[in-house]
Amino acid sequence: MEFNINNICCIGAGFVGGPTMAVIADNCPGIQINVVDINTERIKRWNDEDLSKLPIYEKGLESIIKKCRGKNLHFSNKIEENLKVADMIFISVNTPTKIKGLGAGKASDLKWIEASTRQIAKNAKDNVIVVEKSTLPVRTADTVKKILNSQSEKNSRINYKRNFYVLSNPEFLAEGTAIENLQNPDRVLIGGDNEEAINALRKIYKKWIDNKKILQTNLWSSELSKLTANAFLAQRISSINSLTALCESTGADIKEVVMAIGMDTRIGSRFLEPGPGFGGSCFKKDILNLIYICDYYGLKEVSSYWQKVLELNSWQKSRISNLIVDKLFGTLSGKKICILGFAFKANTNDTRESPAIDICNSLLEEGANLSIYDPRVSLKQIAKDLNEDNTIDAKIGLDTGKWTYEESIFSAANEADAIVILTEWNEFKNMDWKKISIIMRRPSWVFDTRLISDLEDNNLFGINIWKIGYGI
Ligand code: NAD
Ligand code: UDX
């Protein structure tokens, strides 16, 4: 069966669906691409004339949207209509951790996958290639196939029998560098059992990616590789974070340790940056999913191995908030703490699973008054993350502290007892410490959890500095 792909439909216009389809559209002007979503507000923003209103901020995205939107890239809520004409359908919907029912807290919630698969089964034409772009538990393609085929059989009685070809094509982009990662990926992974369908997808990627980088595996290896890649990356971060504590106790220098191990080509230097713990929408969710699958297959030792990666991550966050309390004489009640950075990493406004959330909540519980500044995260988002309404200065509980949203480093640091750097934004790298030391209360503290501050010497301008992996 030879496939001719002239029309693509992508279900899900989120962090993955939007940028991925934009890059395909840019590289394949001959293919019409419809990105569809049930969320009308999101689609409205994708179609906004003012490109600064796009629902996602990614470097390079605006210029692609400007070039392709309305030509071969379209965003809409017309799901059925666009599914009916598609030769290839990507499923790029959310797969968060289940919050209730069987497997709650660990398993992936596949209700959005099932809903989209049913929509495809109902509307798609014959010989359509269905591509799993979402991150999924290993063997989900089985479920997808069953749903598609059962509808197909039902139709065959009424109408005609249709064939579907299911592929797994997980996405490895990281937020903040999505366009760069999509334009020049380390590899593209295609899992499947039909050679022609795989080649049809390969042909699309080959428009801009070297064929050698396009790997072909069976469906299950592809699904599992995505979970594994995220688990390995997170494991490196937990490993290096565990050593920050040991360096602080022994006097070993964390940067020197990172340099020494990173130069071993078997280890490599990336993803060894110490920090307050990993955040983001994927690492925790995907490791929880891996743990659930291991438990399901009775592999207790394997699941508890991965569980430790998550435990270490939680420990790193609580260890940071505890030591802040400790350094500030055991109490934060009535003290002002300036929080610099709320996003889970720099160059994004995304706060999902940001370590800032847990650290801020712990400090608030200790009675601290937080002044929070992040160059891209909105007041509304912080209020949502800290379980607050939208009012500045609102109390979060009787015995707890309160927080304010600040528009600059200086207003946040004014009269503060301590500054806690939680996100590695560029503007936190070189700050006017002399000026800041004048506006802070004494004794003044800086807690640098990202090792980015240029405040090298302890007590320079009268500021005590604590750095992750160094302590004081
Ligand atoms: P997201 O929440 O930003 O977007 C998902 C979109 O799907 C939402 O806009 C939602 O309204 C839409 N949707 C859900 N059900 C639908 C339906 N039945 N019909 C139409 N639209 C529907 O999620 P995301 O961050 O883009 O992640 C999507 C998948 O990609 C997840 O499985 C995630 O694990 C994976 N992934 C995410 C990243 C990342 O950095 N965010 C990276 C790699 C892989
Ligand atoms: C991650 C994966 O990198 C990507 O391949 C996958 O598709 C989605 O999940 P993302 O969550 O966007 O991407 O960001 P990433 O750059 O991986 O950072 C995740 C978290 O780890 C952030 O909180 C970041 O600050 C932290 N991190 C990263 C470290 O603490 N140290 C590091 O060395 C690297």
Side-chain angles (χ1 to χ4, degrees):
M1 160 91 211
E2 174 120 15
F3 294 94
N4 223 343
I5 310 298
N6 297 311
N7 189 302
I8 289 178
C9 179
C10 172
I11 310 182
F15 278 86
V16 170
T20 307
M21 292 304 124
V23 170
I24 296 182
D26 193 22
N27 288 291
C28 307
I31 302 180
Q32 283 297 316
I33 301 182
N34 292 294
V35 190
V36 296
D37 204 295
I38 37 173
N39 184 331
T40 45
E41 178 55 32
R42 207 165 214 184
I43 291 296
K44 213 168 120 200
R45 289 181 65 189
W46 277 114
N47 285 323
D48 207 301
E49 281 298 307
D50 177 357
L51 291 174
S52 71
K53 298 229 172 75
L54 293 180
I56 289 155
Y57 170 76
E58 282 294 340
K59 195 165 164 247
L61 180 63
E62 283 183 19
S63 62
I64 300 181
I65 297 294
K66 197 170 163 191
K67 187 174 151 200
C68 303
R69 195 176 60 190
K71 295 195 181 87
N72 69 329
L73 179 65
H74 316 273
F75 295 91
S76 94
N77 298 114
K78 293 177 187 153
I79 302 175
E80 297 197 352
E81 205 172 304
N82 284 306
L83 285 176
K84 280 184 180 145
V85 292
D87 305 309
M88 180 179 274
I89 299 168
F90 284 79
I91 306 180
S92 188
V93 300
N94 36 323
T95 51
T97 306
K98 254 182 122 172
I99 47 173
K100 57 182 184 189
L102 187 68
K106 281 191 186 153
S108 284
D109 194 339
L110 297 180
K111 70 175 173 224
W112 292 278
I113 292 288
E114 182 169 342
S116 358
T117 308
R118 285 185 188 279
Q119 280 168 313
I120 297 171
K122 203 168 147 212
N123 296 293
K125 55 186 190 184
D126 195 17
N127 290 323
V128 159
I129 300 174
V130 177
V131 185
E132 297 175 343
K133 185 48 101 178
S134 297
T135 303
L136 296 168
V138 54
R139 295 206 75 86
T140 304
D142 237 357
T143 313
V144 170
K145 279 183 186 172
K146 273 184 195 141
I147 295 172
L148 293 174
N149 292 334
S150 60
Q151 182 68 31
S152 176
E153 271 157 27
K154 186 177 165 198
N155 280 5
S156 66
R157 275 182 254 133
I158 317 163
N159 194 333
Y160 64 100
K161 189 166 164 64
R162 291 165 305 160
N163 294 305
F164 292 101
Y165 301 87
V166 178
L167 301 178
S168 158
N169 173 224
E171 185 47 61
F172 296 97
L173 65 79
E175 284 177 35
T177 50
I179 301 300
E180 195 186 314
N181 299 152
L182 287 161
Q183 294 280 20
N184 188 20
D186 287 347
R187 76 320 205 169
V188 168
L189 183 54
I190 306 177
D193 46 24
N194 182 288
E195 205 64 31
E196 283 87 3
I198 293 172
N199 282 338
L201 184 54
R202 180 186 286 273
K203 199 173 156 196
I204 292 172
Y205 284 117
K206 264 171 63 178
K207 293 265 186 227
W208 76 99
I209 296 162
D210 186 344
N211 194 31
K212 283 194 227 96
K213 283 187 174 180
I214 307 174
L215 307 182
Q216 183 176 336
T217 66
N218 77 29
L219 276 165
W220 325 127
S221 312
S222 173
E223 288 175 335
L224 184 58
S225 297
K226 173 63 198 175
L227 292 184
T228 312
N230 275 354
F232 265 63
L233 291 169
Q235 179 211 46
R236 280 172 78 88
I237 302 168
S238 278
S239 298
I240 209 64
N241 282 345
S242 75
L243 291 170
T244 57
L246 191 57
C247 284
E248 287 158 31
S249 301
T250 59
D253 181 310
I254 191 69
K255 279 193 185 164
E256 291 176 356
V257 174
V258 166
M259 188 171 65
I261 63 168
M263 280 178 75
D264 186 324
T265 49
R266 292 169 302 174
I267 297 174
S269 59
R270 297 184 66 195
F271 265 72
L272 290 179
E273 273 163 37
F278 56 77
S281 64
C282 294
F283 284 173
K284 184 175 169 192
K285 152 180 101 70
D286 292 346
I287 295 178
L288 283 169
N289 189 358
L290 189 60
I291 291 168
Y292 181 75
I293 296 168
C294 295
D295 282 340
Y296 176 84
Y297 288 103
L299 302 168
K300 285 273 167 230
E301 284 72 15
V302 187
S303 74
S304 56
Y305 174 77
W306 290 108
Q307 181 70 42
K308 280 284 167 213
V309 173
L310 293 180
E311 281 171 22
L312 200 288
N313 199 49
S314 302
W315 178 75
Q316 182 78 337
K317 292 183 268 187
S318 56
R319 144 179 133 76
I320 289 169
S321 34
N322 289 344
L323 71 87
I324 294 172
V325 180
D326 189 48
K327 298 284 182 208
L328 297 186
F329 311 120
T331 175
L332 298 187
S333 190
K335 288 184 182 151
K336 179 170 170 180
I337 314 267
C338 158
I339 302 291
L340 294 186
F342 202 83
F344 81 96
K345 66 176 189 180
N347 304 318
T348 174
N349 59 353
D350 195 346
T351 62
R352 289 179 288 178
E353 296 295 335
S354 176
I357 300 173
D358 285 345
I359 293 173
C360 286
N361 274 329
S362 302
L363 299 177
L364 286 166
E365 264 172 38
E366 290 287 339
N369 294 325
L370 306 182
S371 48
I372 306 173
Y373 169 68
D374 186 291
R376 279 212 179 261
V377 181
S378 66
L379 161 64
K380 201 170 153 196
Q381 187 58 49
I382 296 176
K384 204 169 146 206
D385 290 331
L386 297 179
N387 296 323
E388 261 296 344
D389 63 24
N390 227 350
T391 44
I392 302 183
D393 277 351
K395 280 202 181 293
I396 71 153
L398 279 182
D399 300 322
T400 54
K402 51 190 184 173
W403 60 272
T404 57
Y405 179 81
E406 302 291 341
E407 304 278 354
S408 75
I409 296 173
F410 289 102
S411 66
N414 195 32
E415 289 290 312
D417 296 276
I419 293 175
V420 187
I421 302 173
L422 292 179
T423 313
E424 73 283 21
W425 286 105
N426 254 337
E427 62 185 276
F428 304 153
K429 288 183 180 161
N430 305 298
M431 299 199 280
D432 187 343
W433 289 111
K434 194 170 177 189
K435 196 168 155 195
I436 289 172
S437 74
I438 296 166
I439 59 173
M440 286 181 78
R441 246 168 45 128
R442 299 281 170 114
S444 322
W445 278 90
V446 170
F447 297 90
D448 180 2
T449 71
R450 293 281 188 173
L451 285 190
I452 56 156
S453 157
D454 63 346
L455 192 60
E456 287 298 337
D457 303 325
N458 191 32
N459 243 332
L460 185 71
F461 308 121
I463 300 176
N464 301 298
I465 169 106
W466 177 93
K467 291 186 181 190
I468 200 137
Y470 293 87
I472 185 164

